[in-house]
């Protein structure tokens, strides 16, 4: 009957929840272990000026390789780290490692102008974020302009009145601020007015519709136009073919990254890629 049915539904629901939270707890446990056992590492994806083809930077992206070789994507474990607070330690490590790697590139004669590091909203609630960033820069003898922070609209959404002054302070020091995944999540055009930004990144979901007769393609066009009106450089994510590159360039989009240039890769491969990019003549504009 209906009553039993409803109760069964509740039991079913409760069971699903407990399975999910147990899965969550297990994943967190494995992640803690992975962090301490050095199963986490960074890969880098070049960011390229679409007109001059100069490499303007590289985005650091976190990877987790299990001892059995299985690669776990960040979209599955970063949310778990964010919910548990582990993201603070993890984020601090990412910052240190990214700075160490940029320094190492410079010492090898590779003049990568800067590294872009993703920083989640949760990290902005920690009072020592700025101090940690300064420590990482100092320790590896980098200046603030060598670093760009990629924040998402969830950072912009933090009602905390400290975020805006903190971003201003960072930007005043010379640290770059990019608004990632623009147009997804809880976007508000007011953020573009309120926040001190150096760049907006168009989400690849829009970029990949270019050339199609879709709303997504129109949205990509409008974001580029918006950037031009606001004199805010735009970087397109997820450029996978030459046609998209050319189209974006003609539309006035300054920069891009994507599989067409290179997938994210370990530091040693970035060195090889850099040399090839500059020796093959591809870096010269046509
Ligand atoms: P994101 O910052 O928007 O990074 C861009 C994602 O697009 C990366 O996925 C990258 O591998 C992927 N991508 C780049 N080019 C292409 C392309 O041409 N085609 C396609 N299909 N994909 C492309 P990934 O590495 O899996 O990272 C996913 C998300 O995880 C990132 O999105 C970022 O939000 C988060 N993440 C990664 N590393 C960190 C980190 O160190 N800290 C924090 N807080 N978040 C991170
Ligand atoms: Mg990013
Ligand atoms: Mg993005
Ligand atoms: Mg993202």
């Amino acid at each position: 009957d209906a009553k039993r049915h409803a109760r069964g539904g509740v039991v079913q629901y409760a069971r699903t929840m407990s399975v999910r939270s147990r899965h969550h707890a297990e994943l967190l446990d494995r992640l803690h272990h992975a962090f301490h056992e050095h199963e986490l590492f960074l890969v880098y994806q070049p960011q390229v000026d679409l007109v001059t083809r100069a490499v303007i930077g590289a985005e650091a992206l976190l990877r987790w390789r299990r001892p059995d070789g299985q690669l776990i994507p960040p979209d599955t474990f970063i949310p778990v780290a964010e919910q548990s607070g582990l993201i603070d330690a993890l984020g601090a490590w990412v910052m240190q490692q990214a700075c160490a790697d940029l320094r190492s590139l410079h010492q090898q004669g590779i003049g990568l102008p800067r590294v872009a590091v993703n920083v989640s909203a949760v990290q902005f609630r920690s009072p020592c974020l700025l101090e940690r960033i300064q420590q990482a820069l100092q320790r590896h003898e980098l200046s603030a302009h060598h670093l760009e922070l990629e924040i998402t609209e969830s950072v912009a959404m933090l009602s905390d009145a400290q975020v805006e002054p903190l971003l201003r302070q960072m930007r005043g020091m010379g640290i770059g601020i990019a608004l990632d995944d623009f147009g997804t999540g809880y976007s508000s055009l007011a953020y573009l007015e309120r926040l001190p930004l150096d760049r907006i990144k168009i989400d690849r979901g829009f970029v990949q519709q270019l050339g199609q007769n879709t709303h997504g393609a129109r949205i990509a066009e409008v974001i580029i136009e918006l950037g031009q009106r606001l004199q805010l450089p735009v970087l397109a994510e997820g450029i996978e073919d030459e046609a998209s590159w050319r189209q974006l360039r003609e539309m006035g989009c300054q920069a891009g990254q994507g599989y067409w240039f290179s997938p994210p890769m370990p530091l040693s491969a970035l060195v090889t890629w850099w040399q090839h990019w500059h020796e093959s003549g591809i870096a010269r504009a046509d």
Side-chain angles (χ1 to χ4, degrees):
D1 61 77
K3 208 170 169 188
R4 195 187 285 164
H5 199 86
R7 225 189 273 143
V10 169
V11 169
Q12 190 56 45
Y13 178 71
R15 226 174 252 154
T16 313
M17 285 306 286
S18 77
V19 166
R20 192 175 298 159
S21 62
R22 212 167 64 212
H23 175 76
H24 186 280
E26 270 169 27
L27 186 59
L28 179 59
D29 214 48
R30 283 163 53 197
L31 184 57
H32 266 286
H33 182 80
F35 184 44
H36 293 108
E37 296 301 314
H38 310 288
E39 290 172 23
L40 301 178
F41 62 101
L42 291 177
V43 288
Y44 293 91
Q45 186 174 41
Q47 300 176 321
V48 173
D49 183 305
L50 296 185
V51 177
T52 67
R53 306 180 189 203
V55 184
I56 61 168
E59 180 177 6
L61 293 157
L62 200 51
R63 294 289 178 268
W64 175 6
R65 193 187 300 281
R66 305 268 302 147
D68 64 5
Q70 190 197 356
L71 209 57
I72 301 174
D75 284 331
T76 62
F77 68 84
I78 297 233
V80 174
E82 284 174 342
Q83 284 163 41
S84 68
L86 180 63
I87 193 72
D88 272 329
L90 208 59
W93 176 80
V94 168
M95 194 63 69
Q96 281 289 336
Q97 191 61 45
C99 288
D101 287 344
L102 184 62
R103 178 70 180 160
S104 151
L105 288 174
H106 289 174
Q107 283 167 339
Q108 294 173 64
I110 290 166
L112 183 70
R114 65 163 180 267
V115 66
V117 175
N118 293 284
V119 180
S120 84
V122 182
Q123 291 173 263
F124 271 84
R125 293 208 201 101
S126 154
C128 43
L129 177 64
L130 182 57
E131 200 184 303
R132 280 185 176 150
I133 291 173
Q134 286 174 310
Q135 275 171 4
L137 289 170
Q138 273 162 24
R139 182 167 160 202
H140 302 289
E141 297 173 69
L142 296 173
S143 61
H145 71 259
H146 288 123
L147 179 66
E148 185 160 284
L149 305 182
E150 295 197 0
I151 63 169
T152 59
E153 283 150 336
S154 57
V155 172
M157 262 176 63
L158 290 176
S159 54
D160 192 354
Q162 284 180 336
V163 170
E164 223 182 288
L166 181 56
L167 285 172
R168 281 189 201 287
Q169 196 183 350
M170 289 170 167
R171 189 154 183 262
M173 290 165 51
I175 296 171
I177 311 288
L179 188 56
D180 206 353
D181 303 341
F182 186 71
T184 66
Y186 301 91
S187 310
S188 163
L189 293 177
Y191 299 142
L192 297 181
E193 189 193 9
R194 244 182 45 210
L195 298 176
L197 298 173
D198 296 281
R199 185 187 315 284
I200 46 184
K201 297 186 71 175
I202 317 180
D203 191 71
R204 69 168 187 266
F206 300 124
V207 173
Q208 290 178 347
Q209 292 182 51
L210 284 172
Q212 297 170 29
N213 189 18
T214 60
H215 278 79
R218 299 292 94 77
I219 290 170
E221 291 167 15
V222 167
I223 294 174
I224 292 167
E225 205 176 307
L226 190 61
Q228 286 171 333
R229 295 282 183 92
L230 299 174
Q231 295 182 307
L232 204 52
V234 174
L235 183 147
E237 299 183 327
I239 301 178
E240 290 187 355
D241 51 55
E242 192 171 7
S244 310
W245 171 11
R246 290 184 185 282
Q247 197 177 349
L248 284 158
R249 193 175 65 185
E250 273 146 35
M251 288 160 61
C253 180
Q254 281 84 356
Q257 64 187 94
Y259 296 167
W260 172 254
F261 302 106
S262 171
M265 57 199 151
L267 192 68
S268 58
L270 178 65
V271 170
T272 314
W273 179 90
W274 174 279
Q275 284 157 350
H276 175 75
W277 186 259
H278 289 91
E279 282 158 19
S280 64
I282 197 172
R284 285 189 288 276
D286 53 16

